[in-house]
Amino acid sequence: MRLYPHLALVKDVPMTNPARPPLLEVKNVCASLGGADVLRNVNFSVAAGERLGIVGESGCGKTVMGLSILGLASSAFHLRGEIVFEGRNLLDLPAKAMRHVRGREISMIFQEPMVTLDPVFTIGEQICETLRTHFKLARKEAREQAIDALAQVGIPAPAERVDDYPHQLSGGMRQRAMIAIALACKPKLIIADEPTTALDVTVQAQITNLLVELSEKHGTALLFITHDLGVVAETCDRLITMYAGQVVENAGIDDFLARPLHPYSSGLLRSLPRMSKRKTALPSIPGRVPTVAEMPAGCRFEPRCSLAQAPCKAEQSLLPAGEARKVACCRYDELMLPGVLN
Amino acid sequence: MTALVLSAARRPVDLMILLDWRGRLSAAFLLAMILAGLAAPLIAPYSPTDQDLVNMLMPATVDHPLGTDDLGRDVLSRLIYGTGASLYASFLAVAVATVIGVPIGLAAGFFGGWLDDIISRVIDALLSFPGIVLAIGVTGALGIGLTNAMVAVGIVFSPMVARLARARTLIVRSELYIDAARCFGSSSYHVLRRHVLPNILQPLLVQMTLLLAAALLAEASLSFLGLGVQAPAPSWGAMLARGYTYMEIAPEQMYPPGFAILLTALAFNVLGESLRVVLDPALKAR
Amino acid sequence: MSGAALRTSAWRGLQVIPVVIIATLVVFLLLQLVPGDPAITLAGENATPEQIEQIRALYNLDQPLLVQYGQWLLNAMQGDLARSLMSGEDVTRLILQNLPPTLLIVTCAMAISLAIGIPLGVMSAIHRGGVLDTIATALASVGIALPNFWLGMILINFLALQNNIFPATGAGSLLQDPLNALWYAFLPALSLAAGGVAEIVRQLRSALLEVLDSQHVRTLHAKGLSPARIVWQHAMKNVSTTLLTVTGLLFNRLLGATVVIEAIFAIPGIGSLIVRSAIAKDFPIVQGVVFTMVLLVILGNLIIDVLYPIFDPRVER
């Protein structure tokens, strides 16, 4: 893993381009399961070609958010709000129109490459199938494109691997194949849900770099969902932090690393291991995510927050905090939270 | 929940509470059948073997709610007495299967090695026999009669029990507490008896319930073929056989025993599936 | 077939040998289950001492059990299953004569089971919890608890006796008039198939539900495939091995159940043969039929084992 302080040198691009309309806009999305709020008024947008990270602990609702964009969340979730993609609200789209978006306009990469590929079809068949679903292609053409796609994701000897079954490939190779499937139709947006979590550490970096490289090459926007702030720091332009179903901070990556505005973001940042300080205990955030029954009415992080005061008992909404930044904390202005870059 | 399930093996009342409504209904129905079978002499209006050649193959009347058979015997009474024979047959077969299957499966799973290899091969081979055909062969050899027929069915079912007992023993054996018990110097017998057996009982109970249904159907088949119950004793299968003989003149004769078999087998199966949901969460029923 | 697949098949063929040996040993030991001296059993109760000694020598009954078994197996493998105690007929010939009607109704019953069971199971899984699923699941529960010979009696009563649509009993010759033979086989096959349909619906439904809930099916949705394609191409190929296994078990079960069905429909098959012989204590025939049936099942299982790798690339060796 890299040393995070180097990142400031690498990342020096403008965070948003206000002239371009966002590719994807998530507006006030709420999801409930039974009586429980899984997502609450989630707002964010992704510009064309932008790489946005969604960070949070497991159970914060980030995976449901990702699945909801493509309408893949379990039907047990009750969804409200709008998810606008190129002017269309995906939540209202009829099933057939939605299928033209899936895999063609927006595609998705999942966490466990061991179980997310169909075990009884070859890699090639699975890529060709996507291509032939969305384009009029002869079998032979589709196969050639599939081999190309495998080559692009760095699978050696793609002309042979194309006839392999998933179980014949290693975890890293399978995830590359999964990326090849996702990229086959040159979508405008790729949602990657913890794409490296199940992989070996050495392979993780390769896959992350591959995603960045391909996103830059094709101008594909990337929505990178992960619990690993380090990976986001390496790959994304912007990030949003989610806690208990809410977005608590939305910031450009450099601003965020320099000075997180939300105490939870800061806590996440400080719990990252660093090479400079050895043999000290890693700071962790005390307590745990509240259950549905104990969900506070005000700021949801308040019970775990060491900086909480009386005003925090009120509900916090995501408000602008300077240029291209938003935070859901009433005390952000008074606090000087430590980042990694200082 | 877990505590309740664990105690359920000892307290059938707790088990009843955990079952869904289908399971409870089936259990109540089966309990009623067992009581009817036991109390047959008290509740049956007539003797099952009293002939009345004047009133043969009569349709249902007030005196004979289900009519009379080809020898003028009361069908309802024969049905009630047949309950006892049919349920006795099912329980006998499953008991034989358990007594043979469990120790063999336990031994194979627990000791492993060449013993397991041999036993597993024998189980595979025995499961290759169409059940009822082997049962007919064994009955033919042991001699015709209900008890022999059901011992044969039990022998035929025993590899299924052994297979499950073996699989479950393998799982339990790998659990740490067995090692812990061994470390304290317990004998194999003690470990098997005190630690392994109680842990495989619950899935076995599920399988035994399902096998009761299969045994009931096997009894019906064998008695129908004349290899089981011998005249004039009543059993549902034997009643169907007589109904078959007189089918052209009195087709309604085949319905009382047929429905009795169907409902009882259904009740055993439904109860088994409900038990599985409660006792065997690993094999969740969908 | 590739070299690897061929080796796989050969290996599976070899694995069958111990099963065949144990199964035939069981068939052989059936005679030992009979209380008393096997020689007297075989010679009949009214035999003279000379006849008994003759039988003892003929069947090597004075030899150790293992030698007897070896001799019996050797003969059986050469098609010599001894002679009927009653008629003196050659058992092998008798079985071969009676085999076609049995195989015909079992094959027809398998076909009916698959033809009805597969669509019903798929529909049930797709519309999980819906009306169709509830009905199909309930029918499957009844089908498994239903004595198939009773269903046969009901079918005879309604479709043959009261309405003269099908013949009530008997069998047609497959060689002389195949259509007529199928016509005769229809009701028996239908009675047999009830349990088969039920079994296929249950197993297929449960396997499909598991696959449809799996993560790789979510990937297929994410790729934009239609639900129909996901079910019929992907999910079905995923559950094909389950279907294959169930079909194998079904063959075993139907072969057993046909014994009673043959009795109901008066079909001159090997089922009727074994029942008649078991009641008459004609042990060579009983042994012969059990032997034939177990060999058929083992052969069926072998075919299925060889087919597995075609349907599931993960099955190897």
Side-chain angles (χ1 to χ4, degrees):
Chain A
M1 230 176 249
R2 290 189 210 166
L3 283 174
Y4 299 114
H6 292 293
L7 291 167
L9 306 173
V10 184
K11 303 276 172 188
D12 196 18
V13 282
M15 295 311 152
T16 45
N17 188 343
R20 271 158 60 193
L23 181 69
L24 177 82
E25 216 178 344
V26 172
K27 293 182 191 167
N28 292 319
V29 166
C30 300
S32 50
L33 181 68
D37 258 357
V38 183
L39 294 176
R40 191 172 163 119
N41 287 327
V42 174
N43 281 287
F44 65 87
S45 63
V46 184
E50 186 185 32
R51 291 192 292 278
L52 176 75
I54 300 186
V55 184
E57 289 163 282
S58 43
C60 73
K62 55 191 196 299
T63 294
V64 176
M65 186 62 245
L67 290 171
S68 299
I69 295 171
L70 279 181
L72 294 173
S74 152
S75 54
F77 289 101
H78 182 67
L79 283 168
R80 279 165 295 138
E82 282 180 67
I83 298 176
V84 180
F85 178 77
E86 295 193 315
R88 287 171 296 174
N89 181 3
L90 298 182
L91 288 183
D92 288 345
L93 224 50
K96 202 170 172 210
M98 191 69 203
R99 290 211 300 272
H100 291 304
V101 174
R102 290 176 184 164
R104 171 71 192 90
E105 311 276 347
I106 306 176
S107 55
M108 193 150 181
I109 300 165
F110 299 97
Q111 179 170 357
E112 301 265 357
M114 300 298 169
V115 293
T116 46
L117 291 168
D118 193 328
V120 298
F121 285 83
T122 64
I123 302 296
E125 284 165 342
Q126 297 189 51
I127 301 177
C128 291
E129 177 177 47
T130 316
L131 284 167
R132 283 163 58 90
T133 301
H134 296 293
F135 301 111
K136 262 188 133 49
L137 272 181
R139 234 165 251 284
K140 206 173 158 228
E141 286 174 289
R143 187 183 156 85
E144 277 161 16
Q145 289 196 19
I147 295 174
D148 276 354
L150 289 178
Q152 277 210 14
V153 296
I155 290 182
E160 287 149 42
R161 293 290 84 78
V162 75
D163 293 322
D164 277 358
Y165 287 95
H167 73 275
Q168 293 169 299
L169 303 179
S170 69
M173 284 298 147
R174 280 190 227 190
Q175 197 61 303
R176 284 176 194 266
M178 184 74 226
I179 294 173
I181 293 174
L183 274 171
C185 297
K186 308 254 178 321
K188 299 187 177 99
L189 172 67
I190 291 181
I191 303 167
D193 184 5
E194 303 266 13
T196 59
T197 310
L199 303 174
D200 288 346
V201 179
T202 46
V203 182
Q204 282 184 3
Q206 294 172 10
I207 296 291
T208 317
N209 292 341
L210 177 68
L211 278 170
V212 172
E213 183 192 312
L214 292 170
S215 139
E216 273 169 1
K217 188 170 158 194
H218 301 294
T220 314
L222 187 66
L223 187 60
F224 204 109
I225 300 170
T226 178
H227 68 278
D228 188 344
L229 202 49
V231 174
V232 168
E234 287 181 57
T235 46
C236 295
D237 311 318
R238 297 177 64 76
L239 91 167
I240 60 177
T241 317
M242 284 185 73
Y243 183 78
Q246 288 180 316
V247 177
V248 294
E249 185 163 0
N250 180 339
I253 198 83
D254 284 354
D255 295 345
F256 180 87
L257 293 174
R259 187 196 160 193
L261 294 183
H262 196 281
Y264 176 65
S265 310
S266 168
L268 277 184
L269 212 46
R270 269 177 296 155
S271 60
L272 283 175
R274 267 182 272 179
M275 299 284 271
S276 47
K277 293 182 191 166
R278 294 182 63 196
K279 291 181 181 172
T280 52
L282 273 177
S284 62
I285 305 171
R288 55 182 170 79
V289 183
T291 63
V292 182
E294 45 189 40
M295 196 63 79
C299 172
R300 290 186 162 187
F301 187 58
E302 183 262 338
R304 293 170 78 184
C305 185
S306 57
L307 305 162
Q309 285 183 353
C312 301
K313 295 280 183 195
E315 190 167 344
Q316 309 287 316
S317 42
L318 195 65
L319 296 170
E323 201 188 331
R325 267 194 103 158
K326 285 178 181 168
V327 66
C329 177
C330 55
R331 297 197 65 211
Y332 83 90
D333 234 1
E334 332 158 25
L335 302 171
M336 267 309 277
L337 298 168
V340 248
L341 300 188
N342 47 14
Chain B
M1 178 76 185
T2 317
L4 205 51
V5 171
L6 288 178
S7 68
R10 266 159 277 160
R11 290 181 50 193
V13 181
D14 288 345
L15 208 50
M16 284 296 273
I17 294 167
L18 288 168
L19 289 177
D20 59 8
W21 67 269
R22 293 186 194 88
R24 281 187 223 173
L25 188 68
S26 304
F29 175 79
L30 292 168
L31 204 62
M33 292 307 253
I34 293 171
L35 289 178
L38 289 175
L42 299 176
I43 56 173
Y46 301 90
S47 155
T49 47
D50 271 0
Q51 303 183 1
D52 179 2
L53 297 176
V54 182
N55 294 312
M56 289 188 315
L57 296 172
M58 291 270 287
T61 58
V62 179
D63 284 348
H64 299 283
L66 294 175
T68 58
D69 74 359
D70 55 299
L71 294 172
R73 299 176 294 197
D74 181 50
V75 171
L76 178 63
S77 302
R78 285 183 71 73
L79 199 64
I80 294 171
Y81 275 92
T83 308
S86 295
L87 289 179
Y88 156 76
S90 310
F91 282 104
L92 175 64
V94 173
V96 169
T98 309
V99 167
I100 300 175
V102 171
I104 290 177
L106 273 179
F110 191 75
F111 296 108
W114 59 268
L115 186 69
D116 184 28
D117 286 343
I118 292 178
I119 291 176
S120 297
R121 289 281 170 222
V122 172
I123 290 176
D124 281 351
L126 287 175
L127 288 176
S128 303
F129 286 91
I132 199 115
V133 174
L134 186 58
I136 290 171
V138 175
T139 311
L142 290 177
I144 289 162
L146 186 62
T147 300
N148 280 351
M150 294 328 278
V151 168
V153 171
I155 294 172
V156 169
F157 283 174
S158 61
M160 301 181 205
V161 176
R163 191 171 57 167
L164 181 72
R166 174 185 171 273
R168 286 295 159 149
T169 306
L170 280 178
I171 296 171
V172 177
R173 194 182 63 160
S174 63
E175 308 258 347
L176 280 174
Y177 59 90
I178 298 296
D179 285 341
R182 287 211 130 163
C183 284
F184 288 114
S186 305
S187 68
S188 292
Y189 173 77
H190 180 84
V191 174
L192 272 173
R193 172 89 209 277
R194 304 285 307 187
H195 300 281
V196 181
L197 193 58
N199 278 295
I200 67 169
L201 272 184
Q202 296 188 352
L204 273 176
L205 191 63
V206 173
Q207 197 196 27
M208 282 159 69
T209 314
L210 297 174
L211 279 181
L212 280 170
L216 187 79
L217 293 173
E219 184 279 328
S221 299
L222 291 176
S223 289
F224 180 86
L225 294 173
L227 294 159
V229 137
Q230 297 300 300
S235 94
W236 295 339
M239 289 175 76
L240 273 181
R242 294 205 85 93
Y244 174 70
T245 315
Y246 295 93
M247 195 162 68
E248 284 179 59
I249 36 177
E252 70 280 354
Q253 291 276 322
M254 65 182 167
Y255 293 111
F259 276 111
I261 297 168
L262 171 63
L263 289 178
T264 310
L266 191 62
F268 277 129
N269 279 336
V270 171
L271 180 63
E273 292 301 330
S274 299
L275 280 174
R276 189 200 297 277
V277 174
V278 176
L279 295 180
D280 203 1
L283 293 166
K284 62 171 182 252
R286 279 175 184 269
Chain C
M1 227 186 238
S2 69
L6 210 63
R7 264 200 305 283
T8 305
S9 308
W11 173 244
R12 282 179 194 282
L14 286 177
Q15 278 180 316
V16 138
I17 292 174
V19 174
V20 172
I21 290 175
I22 297 167
T24 50
L25 186 62
V26 170
V27 176
F28 167 75
L29 287 176
L30 274 180
L31 190 63
Q32 307 296 321
L33 275 179
V34 184
D37 184 349
I40 299 176
T41 310
L42 287 177
E45 277 153 24
N46 304 321
T48 60
E50 293 83 59
Q51 284 173 314
I52 293 173
E53 284 317 307
Q54 215 180 337
I55 290 280
R56 200 185 298 283
L58 183 65
Y59 290 102
N60 304 307
L61 294 178
D62 42 2
Q63 305 276 324
L65 215 53
L66 213 60
V67 176
Q68 291 181 40
Y69 167 65
Q71 194 57 48
W72 178 84
L73 186 62
L74 213 61
N75 290 342
M77 287 298 167
Q78 291 165 351
D80 177 10
L81 290 169
R83 291 178 172 277
S84 160
L85 297 181
M86 301 290 150
S87 60
E89 276 180 277
D90 184 45
V91 172
T92 310
R93 248 195 64 211
L94 213 52
I95 288 174
L96 286 179
Q97 271 171 9
N98 287 276
L99 200 52
T102 301
L103 285 183
L104 179 67
I105 60 169
V106 168
T107 313
C108 290
M110 296 261 290
I112 296 174
S113 303
L114 293 169
I116 300 177
I118 291 177
L120 208 56
V122 172
M123 289 301 157
S124 195
I126 295 177
H127 305 289
R128 176 191 336 192
V131 181
L132 202 141
D133 181 28
T134 313
I135 295 174
T137 314
L139 277 181
S141 299
V142 171
I144 285 177
L146 189 72
N148 49 26
F149 61 97
W150 183 52
L151 177 65
M153 286 164 67
I154 294 173
L155 290 178
I156 293 179
N157 183 35
F158 283 107
L159 298 178
L161 296 181
Q162 301 198 5
N163 305 292
N164 222 336
I165 305 174
F166 289 95
T169 55
S173 163
L174 202 53
L175 283 179
Q176 283 156 22
D177 188 352
L179 272 181
N180 187 46
L182 280 175
W183 190 241
Y184 269 94
F186 185 71
L187 282 191
L190 200 61
S191 325
L192 265 184
V197 171
E199 196 61 44
I200 287 180
V201 168
R202 280 164 64 111
Q203 304 276 356
L204 182 60
R205 175 178 179 275
S206 129
L208 266 179
L209 286 183
E210 201 180 323
V211 171
L212 290 177
D213 277 346
S214 71
Q215 299 205 33
H216 66 259
V217 165
R218 192 180 59 187
T219 306
L220 300 176
H221 283 289
K223 283 164 42 161
L225 303 193
S226 67
R229 191 181 163 98
I230 290 174
V231 169
W232 290 108
Q233 297 224 337
H234 284 268
M236 281 312 275
K237 189 161 181 196
N238 271 276
V239 300
S240 56
T241 45
T242 305
L243 212 49
L244 212 54
T245 310
V246 178
T247 309
L249 292 174
L250 198 62
F251 180 59
N252 180 331
R253 184 188 281 210
L254 293 184
L255 212 49
T258 184
V259 171
V260 201
I261 293 296
E262 285 175 20
I264 295 276
F265 288 92
I267 294 166
I270 55 172
S272 304
L273 186 66
I274 190 178
V275 173
R276 240 184 298 133
S277 314
I279 293 175
K281 296 188 182 297
D282 198 338
F283 292 108
I285 300 184
V286 174
Q287 272 185 321
V289 175
V290 178
F291 177 79
T292 310
M293 288 219 176
V294 80
L295 281 195
L296 281 173
V297 172
I298 291 174
L299 185 68
N301 288 344
L302 188 63
I303 292 173
I304 280 172
D305 270 357
V306 171
L307 288 178
Y308 270 127
I310 297 173
F311 288 96
D312 191 337
R314 287 165 298 180
V315 180
E316 269 178 312
R317 207 170 82 128

